[in-house]
Amino acid sequence: MFELEKTFRFEAGHVLAHHDGKCKIPHGHSYVLTVRVRSPHLQTEGPKRNMVIDFQDISSTVKPLIKEKLDHCWLNDSLETDSPTVEYIALWIFNQLKEKIRGLHSVTLQETESCKVTYFVN
């Protein structure tokens, strides 16, 4: 089984309206997004021969999503929720990508140096 990872970075702000701690105050993060693809097979023909997927193909799918909905955005507005937790954002990203990236296995979103979440379907 092969597992490929491609990592992206973006800056965004949010507030967790219902939180009982510091996150109820507007703030921002420098997020690190890792997209993982799994496959037991390599492509057998064409320009992608012996690849699971071209890293550039992952980038060409993920970067527009980041630019339009995530990077330097107020996540409460762009994701249309009053509580864009790191878990919610990871699930949202996974759902946006699952039909576009063949073999998508998981999305990991790191919110701070010590806090990250991974969403995957078993």
Side-chain angles (χ1 to χ4, degrees):
M1 178 69 71
F2 296 96
E3 182 174 88
L4 284 71
E5 293 185 357
K6 179 73 177 156
T7 300
F8 305 87
R9 297 178 184 278
F10 63 92
E11 312 291 329
H14 69 157
V15 64
L16 306 181
H18 308 287
H19 195 259
D20 58 357
K22 292 191 298 183
C23 292
K24 68 182 172 194
I25 301 168
H27 63 284
H29 296 284
S30 296
Y31 290 94
V32 178
L33 168 65
T34 302
V35 175
R36 286 184 192 80
V37 174
R38 281 188 179 176
S39 176
H41 305 289
L42 299 176
Q43 295 184 41
T44 58
E45 298 178 1
K48 316 278 177 161
R49 182 183 172 133
N50 291 334
M51 293 182 182
V52 169
I53 186 172
D54 192 326
F55 287 110
Q56 182 56 46
D57 292 343
I58 297 171
S59 290
S60 66
T61 301
V62 175
K63 283 184 176 181
L65 178 67
I66 290 173
K67 183 178 180 182
E68 181 181 331
K69 295 287 189 174
L70 301 170
D71 191 37
H72 287 82
C73 290
W74 186 249
L75 299 176
N76 297 68
D77 294 339
S78 63
L79 302 185
E80 300 178 357
T81 180
D82 65 355
S83 194
T85 63
V86 69
E87 297 92 339
Y88 180 91
I89 302 164
L91 173 62
W92 185 90
I93 293 169
F94 186 92
N95 286 335
Q96 298 299 306
L97 299 177
K98 67 183 176 184
E99 301 298 323
K100 298 174 183 173
I101 299 177
R102 190 177 52 122
L104 179 65
H105 174 263
S106 66
V107 166
T108 298
L109 189 59
Q110 185 169 344
E111 186 175 69
T112 68
E113 184 70 26
S114 62
C115 299
K116 65 182 174 182
V117 64
T118 299
Y119 179 81
F120 64 96
V121 177
N122 229 354

